[in-house]
Amino acid sequence: MTDFHFTAARAWLRVASSGATILAIALVWALSSPAPAAAANDFSAAEQAIFIDNQMAALRPPANLRYAYRKTGSLEEPFDDNVDVVLVAQPDGSCCAASAKFFSGARQVPQPEVEGVQGNPAIFYFLERDIKEMERLTKGKANYFRKRIRMAVYQSAVIRDITLPYRGQNVAVREISISPYLDDPNRSRYEKLANKNYVFLMAKAVPGGLYGIRTRIEAGSATQPPLMAEEMLLQGIEPAPARRQP
């Protein structure tokens, strides 16, 4: 790992463990590549699509990106909910400052407001919640799970181009799949969940560039339902009230 990537990785661990804003976490997710090459922009195609691309450039705030969330499986009680990412213009009119309502009622997960987003913050909101859930279920460490995901995106992501429906039309989607824990030398500590798979569905034709994210943990037998399956899929973009200026 180069000095650049080592410094960025250390910074990510600091901000993620200190409860810093999602912007700080997002920036270090983008910068903490495990690439061995010296160039700071040496990112894999999967990293570029998920963490680096400016997915918000074409949006015109104020707007609300709405995602439907569903959790199923035999491990815990299933439920359906929504994730809303509210976007307002920066002082110069560009996109965007963002806030989120991640779930509703007693399930709601507080999320910080962030200025100057470029990558879709729904990705980082989803991943940070997912990591906290892995921490809860396995008693493992959040920073360790972040590292495994980041390394898998760089080293072993499987990419294929597919077509999926969105609002009555077919759109081109780049499907990026990772299994961060399959070859983990420490997988015996959480063997039951080690086959967890993540699928990122990136689509430049949809608002915010993110069609959705899916995760799945298979049961021990192919005849059994999965232990857990989660998905967050884009429903659309809606007008949102402009934020009041001070």
Side-chain angles (χ1 to χ4, degrees):
M1 183 180 292
T2 68
D3 290 343
F4 170 82
H5 292 116
F6 180 77
T7 302
R10 291 284 299 274
W12 174 37
L13 297 180
R14 275 201 308 278
V15 298
S17 62
S18 66
T21 69
I22 199 72
L23 174 61
I25 295 173
L27 287 173
V28 184
W29 273 93
L31 293 174
S32 60
S33 169
N41 62 349
D42 181 21
F43 299 107
S44 70
E47 288 178 296
Q48 186 72 40
I50 297 171
F51 298 123
I52 310 302
D53 285 348
N54 187 345
Q55 296 145 351
M56 316 302 280
L59 298 186
R60 296 295 176 262
N64 175 46
L65 287 170
R66 166 153 284 208
Y67 295 86
Y69 172 92
R70 169 166 289 185
K71 177 179 178 178
T72 58
S74 61
L75 187 62
E76 295 185 324
E77 188 73 19
F79 69 90
D80 293 353
D81 215 317
N82 292 301
V83 175
D84 292 300
V85 178
V86 180
L87 306 169
V88 297
Q90 297 282 95
D92 64 0
S94 64
C95 186
C96 289
S99 60
K101 183 180 179 184
F102 203 110
F103 300 162
S104 58
R107 293 193 189 97
Q108 188 168 349
V109 181
Q111 302 288 2
E113 184 173 325
V114 54
E115 304 287 337
V117 297
Q118 293 189 358
N120 190 326
I123 297 171
F124 304 103
Y125 291 142
F126 183 97
L127 286 175
E128 285 299 307
R129 178 191 171 274
D130 173 83
I131 286 166
K132 287 182 173 61
E133 287 294 287
M134 286 293 291
E135 192 175 37
R136 176 180 68 83
L137 291 169
T138 68
K139 309 305 178 186
K141 297 298 184 183
N143 286 338
Y144 187 77
F145 295 126
R146 289 189 190 97
K147 177 183 176 182
R148 295 302 306 178
I149 291 170
R150 196 63 180 85
M151 290 181 66
V153 172
Y154 174 70
Q155 294 178 333
S156 57
V158 176
I159 303 174
R160 66 178 186 138
D161 293 326
I162 61 175
T163 301
L164 291 174
Y166 176 74
R167 294 190 165 245
Q169 296 184 343
N170 290 330
V171 296
V173 175
R174 175 154 286 192
E175 180 190 77
I176 302 171
S177 303
I178 60 170
S179 297
Y181 315 117
L182 281 181
D183 60 352
D184 186 349
N186 295 311
R187 65 175 284 172
S188 60
R189 295 176 56 188
Y190 41 90
E191 181 67 31
K192 192 175 183 180
L193 307 183
N195 67 25
K196 186 170 186 177
N197 173 258
Y198 295 72
V199 177
F200 300 87
L201 301 168
M202 311 304 299
K204 293 183 178 180
V206 305
L210 175 69
Y211 186 96
I213 304 175
R214 295 185 173 119
T215 70
R216 189 176 179 93
I217 305 173
E218 299 292 355
S221 167
T223 62
Q224 296 176 308
L227 289 179
M228 186 182 296
E230 297 175 272
E231 66 175 16
M232 184 182 74
L233 299 179
L234 180 67
Q235 301 302 290
I237 188 167
E238 306 166 349
R243 185 171 57 185
R244 292 179 181 177
Q245 296 299 322

